[in-house]
C-alpha cells in the first residue's frame, strides 16, 4: 500500500470516528455510577438539611414541593449519559422573615464548608456549592408570590441510565 493511500484511509477513518462521536453514537456509551434515583435522593436530602437549618428563623412555616426537573447538560460529552437535576422546595415564609431565613441559610452553608456565591444586589437569595462537589443549594425569595424557596441543583452528572423525565 502506498503512503498516499494509507494517509487517505487513515483520514477517512478519523473522519468517520469524529462523525459518529458528533452524532452521539460511537460504539459504547459510558454509564456513570450515579443512578437517577440516587441523584434525586441526594437533592431531597440537601434540601431537607437546609430546611432544618433555617427552621428556627422560618418558624412553623409550611412547605410544599416546588417541582423537580431533569435536563440534558448544555455541553455534551459524546458517548455519555449526562444530565442535570433541579429540585425546589417552596417555603411559606413572608418577606418579613426572609432576611433572617437567608442569614440562617448562609450560616448553615458556612458551617458545612460550602463555597458561597458572591453577593449580588440584584437577587434576593444566598447560595453556595457543597464542598468537593458540584451540588449547589440556594435559599431566596420568590418574586412571584409571598414565599421563599430552597433550590438544589446537581449540575451535570454522568448517570447510569437516562432519567425518566428527561
Amino acid at each position: 500500500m502506498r503512503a498516499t493511500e494509507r494517509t487517505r484511509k487513515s483520514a477517512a477513518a478519523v473522519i468517520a470516528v469524529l462523525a459518529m462521536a458528533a452524532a452521539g453514537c460511537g460504539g459504547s456509551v459510558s454509564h456513570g455510577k450515579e443512578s437517577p434515583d440516587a441523584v434525586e435522593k441526594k437533592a431531597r436530602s440537601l434540601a431537607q438539611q437546609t430546611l432544618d437549618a433555617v427552621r428556627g428563623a422560618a418558624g412553623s412555616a409550611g412547605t410544599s414541593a416546588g417541582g423537580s426537573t431533569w435536563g440534558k447538560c448544555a455541553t455534551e460529552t459524546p458517548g455519555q449519559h449526562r444530565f442535570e437535576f433541579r429540585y425546589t422546595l417552596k417555603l411559606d415564609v413572608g418577606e418579613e422573615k426572609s432576611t433572617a431565613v437567608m442569614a440562617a441559610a448562609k450560616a448553615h452553608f458556612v458551617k458545612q464548608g460550602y463555597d458561597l456565591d458572591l453577593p449580588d444586589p440584584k437577587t434576593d437569595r444566598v447560595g453556595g456549592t457543597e464542598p468537593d462537589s458540584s451540588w449547589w443549594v440556594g435559599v431566596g425569595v420568590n418574586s412571584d408570590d409571598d414565599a421563599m424557596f430552597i433550590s438544589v441543583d446537581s449540575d451535570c452528572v454522568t448517570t447510569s441510565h437516562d432519567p425518566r423525565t428527561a
Side-chain angles (χ1 to χ4, degrees):
M1 187 180 304
R2 295 186 325 206
T4 54
E5 191 176 335
R6 255 194 321 258
T7 302
R8 218 177 304 134
K9 285 186 177 185
S10 295
V14 168
I15 290 170
V17 168
L18 290 174
M20 286 179 12
C25 55
S28 65
V29 173
S30 174
H31 298 286
K33 294 179 183 175
E34 292 288 331
S35 74
D37 290 342
V39 172
E40 292 176 13
K41 183 177 179 180
K42 167 92 176 187
R44 287 189 302 272
S45 174
L46 288 172
Q48 185 62 52
Q49 290 170 18
T50 305
L51 177 61
D52 293 344
V54 302
R55 186 54 80 187
S60 61
T63 61
S64 58
S68 61
T69 58
W70 280 100
K72 284 196 173 213
C73 292
T75 55
E76 283 294 320
T77 302
Q80 291 188 345
H81 293 268
R82 286 172 33 97
F83 295 90
E84 58 188 354
F85 181 69
R86 175 164 289 150
Y87 176 76
T88 307
L89 190 62
K90 184 178 173 183
L91 299 174
D92 297 326
V93 175
E95 192 173 335
E96 71 281 354
K97 291 184 179 181
S98 64
T99 303
V101 170
M102 287 188 288
K106 184 176 180 179
H108 167 69
F109 297 153
V110 168
K111 183 178 178 182
Q112 296 301 315
Y114 282 50
D115 292 325
L116 296 179
D117 293 350
L118 294 174
D120 183 356
K122 296 177 187 172
T123 62
D124 207 4
R125 69 161 176 78
V126 296
T129 305
E130 189 183 38
D132 301 320
S133 82
S134 59
W135 284 90
W136 178 85
V137 181
V139 175
V141 176
N142 247 347
S143 58
D144 299 346
D145 55 16
D146 192 28
M148 296 188 73
F149 64 85
I150 296 173
S151 184
V152 180
D153 190 336
S154 72
D155 203 15
C156 286
V157 178
T158 305
T159 58
S160 59
H161 58 280
D162 290 355
R164 288 182 305 274
T165 58

